[in-house]
Amino acid sequence: MNVWFSVISAVTALAGAWGGQWISARRDDRRWEREQRREDLRWDRDERRDRRDRTLRAYVDFLTKLRQYLSAATKMQTAVVNRSMGAGNEHDVVASEHEVDLLYHELAEKVAAVEVFAPLEIYARAEAATSFARELWGTLWDSWAAVNGPEPANADETVAAIKAAKRKAWEARTVFVEQIREYLDG
C-alpha cells in the first residue's frame, strides 16, 4: 500500500502542476485576447478620428479657397458695375485671367481632396459650388467685355446677370455647408 500511496501522490502532484499550468495559460490567453481587442478598438478609434480630421481639413480648405475665389469675384463685380455706370476705366480690372485661373486650379485641388474623403453627395455639392463659381467668373468676364466694348452694355442687365450668377454660387456653397453639417451631426 505504501508504494501505491507514493505513486498516487506523485501522479496527483504532477496532475496538479499540469492543471495549474493549464489554468494559468488559459487565464493568460484570455487576458491577452482581451488586451488585443482593447488595442484593436483603440486603433480603430484613432483611425476614425484621423480620417475625420483629414475630412474636416479637406472641407475647411475647400471652403476657404471657394471664399477666396468668390471674394475675388466680388472685387471684379465692383469694377464691372463701376465701369457700367460710367465710373472707372478699362484698366480697373482687379484680376487677370491668369490669376483667376490659378485661383480656380487651387480650388480644383481642394475639390479633389473633398472627393477623396467625402461621401459622394457631399462631393457632388462641392462640384456644384465650384461649377457655379466658375460660371460667375464667366459672367464677370463677359460683362467686363460688354461694358468696355464699342457699345457699352446696359448697366441694369449687366448687374442683374452678375447678381444671378453670384446668388447661384453662394447658394451652392450654402447647400454644401448644410450637407456637411448634416453629415457631421448624423
Side-chain angles (χ1 to χ4, degrees):
M1 172 104 167
N2 216 1
V3 173
W4 280 107
F5 183 70
S6 296
V7 170
I8 292 174
S9 295
V11 169
T12 304
L14 282 175
W18 285 335
Q21 282 287 44
W22 182 78
I23 290 171
S24 177
R26 290 280 298 152
R27 186 178 52 236
D28 287 345
D29 286 346
R30 283 194 305 262
R31 182 183 312 131
W32 182 84
E33 288 171 357
R34 215 175 23 251
E35 288 173 4
Q36 192 63 39
R37 282 192 305 269
R38 216 176 295 137
E39 188 68 23
D40 289 346
L41 288 172
R42 188 178 355 210
W43 277 95
D44 289 345
R45 187 176 54 244
D46 289 348
E47 187 176 312
R48 283 192 309 273
R49 185 177 41 237
D50 289 347
R51 180 167 177 79
R52 182 180 169 95
D53 290 348
R54 286 190 307 268
T55 302
L56 289 174
R57 173 61 29 216
Y59 294 160
V60 168
D61 289 348
F62 170 75
L63 286 170
T64 301
K65 194 51 70 177
L66 181 61
R67 184 173 288 280
Q68 287 175 349
Y69 194 67
L70 293 175
S71 292
T74 299
K75 292 176 186 174
M76 183 67 177
Q77 175 186 0
T78 302
V80 170
V81 169
N82 287 343
R83 184 69 177 140
S84 71
M85 302 287 197
N89 60 48
E90 67 261 9
H91 302 294
D92 284 346
V93 67
V94 294
S96 70
E97 287 185 59
H98 176 69
E99 292 168 329
V100 173
D101 282 343
L102 284 177
L103 275 173
Y104 179 74
H105 289 296
E106 291 171 4
L107 180 61
E109 287 176 11
K110 303 307 178 188
V111 171
V114 170
E115 180 180 13
V116 169
F117 293 112
L120 187 57
E121 61 272 5
I122 292 178
Y123 165 67
R125 300 296 185 184
E127 276 291 328
T130 303
S131 176
F132 286 129
R134 187 70 169 171
E135 285 179 26
L136 170 60
W137 269 100
T139 302
L140 286 167
W141 287 120
D142 292 346
S143 299
W144 184 254
V147 298
N148 285 304
E151 295 178 25
N154 181 325
D156 293 335
E157 291 174 6
T158 301
V159 170
I162 292 171
K163 283 185 178 181
K166 189 174 182 180
R167 184 176 44 256
K168 284 198 300 188
W170 278 101
E171 285 173 357
R173 180 197 172 278
T174 301
V175 169
F176 175 75
V177 171
E178 288 171 358
Q179 187 86 33
I180 291 171
R181 286 182 181 148
E182 286 176 20
Y183 175 72
L184 294 175
D185 289 342

